[in-house]
Amino acid sequence: MNYKSRITLDIIFKVVFKATGYLVLALLGGIFAMLVYNSISFFLDVKPLDFITGMEWAPTAKTPKYGMLPLILSTTLVTFGAMIIAIPIGVGTASYIAIYAKPRVKNILKPTIEMLAAIPSVVIGFLGIVVLSPGIADLADLPNGLNALNGAILLAVMALPTIITVAEDAIHAVPNAYKEASYGVGATRWQTLRKVIIPAAAPGIITAIMLGVGRAIGETMTVLMATGNAALMPTGMFDSVKTMTATIAIEMGEVPYQTTHYYALYAIATVLFFMTLFANIVGEFFINRFRKYHAV
């Protein structure tokens, strides 16, 4: 290939890659603009404070109620429960694969865990209904096991492949010089892992956790099938709950077009968008703090 052809090819690919980058930004901007536009149409009928702090979600009642506080608390409860389960198991498994596992075990274990991410969410939800729900009902002496605990366990299972894979990559990327220096002063594997490797890999581990949070908070089908879908104020993990994503999925297909109820679902999506954005900003803040700490 001559010089002129190489230059032309470089220019073409530069334009193509630049266009794809701007296309992604345009798509995200379009989605955000659509959410905000429809949310404003809703807030012309219902005050934002009444919407956020309202205790009752009953849009099809004779006197409609558009309080989404039960939905926010339900989403937070299920996501928090899922992370309580997934973070220690995920980081522990990643540490075992990266530090303790023999190469043969690692070559089997890691691809197997990654394959869990390919299981459709409807299958996970089905297992929650037919396997997990009866077990929870028997243990807690409940009429059924479709509650926040069921949803949290299933979301933890779904978040684990992401957390384990990203965290293991972060731990594996810690320079060997760190480990050798620790072993050189007589530290054990556990001491090296706890005091050297995990702090050094903290930005990557936090990224893994935030991706897991995003996976849990945005999941729809599993929580729709496994949490009971009761739009009530939750008082504990054994209560049936209705998350924000499940509310949108259930009601969007049946709601009359361009009604207050229709716009209310966009307002819920906007709140969900900002909740996810806030979680990512908090995660990014701590990642930068750890990077500055290690840079010093």
Side-chain angles (χ1 to χ4, degrees):
M1 186 180 295
N2 57 38
Y3 176 75
K4 188 176 179 181
S5 299
R6 292 203 302 269
I7 295 297
T8 304
L9 203 58
D10 283 344
I11 292 173
I12 291 172
F13 277 111
K14 180 181 177 182
V15 171
V16 169
F17 293 148
K18 190 175 181 179
T20 55
Y22 282 117
L23 179 63
V24 171
L25 290 176
L27 287 172
L28 290 174
I31 292 171
F32 182 70
M34 182 181 67
L35 291 176
V36 171
Y37 175 78
N38 287 290
S39 298
I40 290 173
S41 299
F42 171 71
F43 291 130
L44 293 176
D45 295 331
V46 179
K47 294 179 181 178
L49 188 61
D50 294 339
F51 177 60
I52 298 295
T53 60
M55 306 286 282
E56 188 176 356
W57 176 260
T60 56
K62 188 175 181 180
T63 303
K65 303 288 185 183
Y66 294 100
M68 70 169 300
L69 189 58
L71 309 182
I72 294 176
L73 293 179
S74 298
T75 302
T76 305
L77 182 66
V78 174
T79 304
F80 183 74
M83 290 301 104
I84 290 291
I85 299 168
I87 290 173
I89 296 176
V91 176
T93 306
S95 301
Y96 169 72
I97 294 173
I99 304 298
Y100 292 97
K102 295 179 180 178
R104 185 177 177 183
V105 175
K106 179 179 179 179
N107 291 336
I108 296 173
L109 194 56
K110 192 173 181 184
T112 304
I113 291 170
E114 290 172 347
M115 285 176 62
L116 287 174
I119 298 176
S121 57
V122 66
V123 175
I124 302 289
F126 180 73
L127 293 175
I129 292 175
V130 301
V131 177
L132 194 57
S133 174
I136 292 174
D138 290 340
L139 286 174
D141 194 21
L142 298 170
N144 67 71
L146 300 178
N147 50 36
L149 179 61
N150 194 356
I153 294 172
L154 296 177
L155 289 184
V157 172
M158 298 184 71
L160 274 174
T162 302
I163 294 176
I164 293 171
T165 302
V166 179
E168 195 276 334
D169 289 340
I171 293 171
H172 188 71
V174 174
N176 283 330
Y178 286 30
K179 307 170 194 173
E180 291 167 358
S182 179
Y183 295 144
V185 296
T188 63
R189 276 189 180 182
W190 165 243
Q191 290 170 328
T192 302
L193 175 66
R194 184 164 58 92
K195 296 186 177 181
V196 177
I197 296 176
I198 288 184
I205 293 174
I206 293 174
T207 301
I209 292 170
M210 297 316 300
L211 289 172
V213 171
R215 181 78 172 90
I217 203 171
E219 175 53 37
T220 302
M221 183 56 70
T222 300
V223 292
L224 188 153
M225 297 173 68
T227 58
N229 297 312
L232 303 172
M233 291 294 288
T235 58
M237 295 300 289
F238 293 113
D239 286 351
S240 293
V241 296
K242 190 175 189 180
T243 65
M244 297 161 70
T245 52
T247 303
I248 296 170
I250 293 171
E251 300 178 12
M252 183 57 84
E254 300 177 355
V255 64
Y257 185 60
Q258 290 188 340
T259 58
T260 303
H261 186 187
Y262 174 82
Y263 292 127
L265 299 178
Y266 278 96
I268 292 174
T270 303
V271 173
L272 185 64
F273 174 85
F274 281 109
M275 286 175 65
T276 308
L277 181 65
F278 177 74
N280 286 329
I281 290 173
V282 171
E284 193 64 30
F285 171 77
F286 284 106
I287 289 169
N288 289 331
R289 287 287 298 271
F290 274 104
R291 283 175 179 162
K292 289 178 181 176
Y293 171 77
H294 290 302
V296 172

